[in-house]
Amino acid sequence: METVKYNRIMLKLSGEALAGKKGFGIDFDIARKISKQIKEIVEMGVQCCLVVGGGNIWRGRNGENMDRTTADYMGMMATCINALALQDSLESIGVQTRVQTAIEMKEVAEPFIRRRAMRHLEKGRVVIFAAGTGNPYFSTDTTAALRAAEIEADIILLAKNVDGVYDKDPNKYDDAKKFEELTYLDVLEKGLQVMDSTATSLCMDNEIPIMVFGLNKPENIKKAVLGKITGTLVHK
Ligand code: UDP
């Protein structure tokens, strides 16, 4: 019997993780692979919530000549599309889910209600938080940090396309060095590409550990929950 290290997790998936090799839109094979891993950890008794980005469809900064707020609302809508895709993928393999959105769209999803989200988690449902924080000028990393604090998650599992945090881009430099552990202040002072500074500060103030790991293999999600992954741990 495998023992889980974290009982309640916040899994943050970037929009790009859902796009797969296409780099745009949703690759349903990838969504299914991720869903199967989530199913396994839920069956192990782990309470799991998800925040998914929107970068595979739209990011606020894509709207160069647009009003920033409008462009950001488009980004939040993009996260809703991804949340529904993940919900569908999870439910197709028998995982119970609820989508809760920060922007009201009651025909599509529940509004975000913290106590209700906690109850869903206790009942073994996966809760997918959509529409970011509901505010422009923020990111889905900040959403993950905020919701993790609110629902008292043990850790944020930050799935990336690299297997941890490096001192420089490992795709460009052969001598890039991976960090095993970092403090929040290291991340902020060195300007490391983990999360944006708002999200990192929120984690620091609320002492929420972050495990950065690679989603090149979806089974890494389960390994992360078991504490068997060698990504980068950001903590106090
Ligand atoms: N966004 C926002 N407020 C939020 C969360 C997201 O305005 O609280 C917008 C923002 O424009 C962002 C886009 O939604 O660029 C998609 O989110 P993000 O870039 O974090 O997605 P990811 O990079 O993780 O795919």
Side-chain angles (χ1 to χ4, degrees):
M1 176 79 183
E2 291 164 309
T3 22
V4 299
K5 188 160 181 200
Y6 307 108
N7 295 312
R8 180 175 285 174
I9 61 147
M10 161 61 71
L11 175 63
K12 161 73 206 305
L13 298 168
S14 69
E16 273 163 4
L18 279 185
K21 290 202 176 74
K22 288 191 294 181
F24 182 83
I26 299 161
D27 180 330
F28 280 91
D29 281 341
I30 300 248
R32 180 166 274 248
K33 282 187 188 139
I34 294 172
S35 300
K36 281 185 180 158
Q37 280 294 301
I38 294 172
K39 182 178 174 140
E40 274 195 46
I41 60 170
V42 170
E43 284 172 350
M44 288 161 74
V46 176
Q47 297 183 7
C48 178
C49 53
L50 299 176
V51 165
V52 59
N56 54 325
I57 300 170
W58 181 265
R59 278 201 182 95
R61 61 177 181 273
N62 295 145
E64 279 171 35
N65 298 316
M66 286 186 70
D67 167 53
R68 168 73 192 262
T69 303
T70 307
D72 278 343
Y73 276 117
M74 288 167 66
M76 287 182 253
M77 297 293 123
T79 71
C80 297
I81 295 175
N82 286 334
L84 293 182
L86 271 177
Q87 174 171 52
D88 185 82
S89 174
L90 283 162
E91 298 221 329
S92 73
I93 55 167
V95 182
Q96 283 203 36
T97 66
R98 294 290 186 272
V99 175
Q100 290 203 343
T101 71
I103 295 174
E104 203 175 321
M105 47 182 86
K106 60 183 186 305
E107 287 78 5
V108 178
E110 292 179 6
F112 169 65
I113 299 171
R114 173 180 172 265
R115 295 175 70 107
R116 188 181 272 186
M118 309 267 274
R119 190 82 189 105
H120 290 320
L121 290 173
E122 284 158 14
K123 286 183 173 171
R125 296 174 185 144
V126 172
V127 183
I128 307 168
F129 296 116
T133 60
N135 300 294
Y137 297 95
F138 286 94
S139 67
T140 50
D141 283 349
T142 304
T143 311
L146 174 66
R147 296 290 183 245
E150 285 179 284
I151 58 113
E152 297 164 18
D154 299 325
I155 191 161
I156 299 177
L157 300 180
L158 195 60
K160 294 257 189 192
N161 51 6
V162 277
D163 65 347
V165 184
Y166 286 79
D167 60 347
K168 48 193 163 186
D169 187 346
N171 296 317
K172 286 192 196 149
Y173 302 93
D174 290 339
D175 62 341
K177 197 174 102 312
K178 185 171 136 185
F179 299 102
E180 301 254 303
E181 279 182 76
L182 287 165
T183 64
Y184 305 106
L185 275 180
D186 289 334
V187 173
L188 291 169
E189 282 169 7
K190 295 188 173 111
L192 297 169
Q193 303 291 313
V194 180
M195 291 175 139
D196 55 75
S197 55
T198 313
T200 308
S201 310
L202 202 52
C203 288
M204 181 167 77
D205 293 347
N206 296 288
E207 296 184 13
I208 308 165
I210 310 159
M211 171 58 83
V212 184
F213 68 103
L215 200 60
N216 51 334
K217 294 181 189 141
E219 58 267 32
N220 285 351
I221 296 175
K222 183 172 161 192
K223 279 194 185 166
V225 166
L226 295 170
K228 286 186 180 164
I229 195 122
T230 46
T232 303
L233 181 67
V234 183
H235 56 167
K236 259 210 298 186

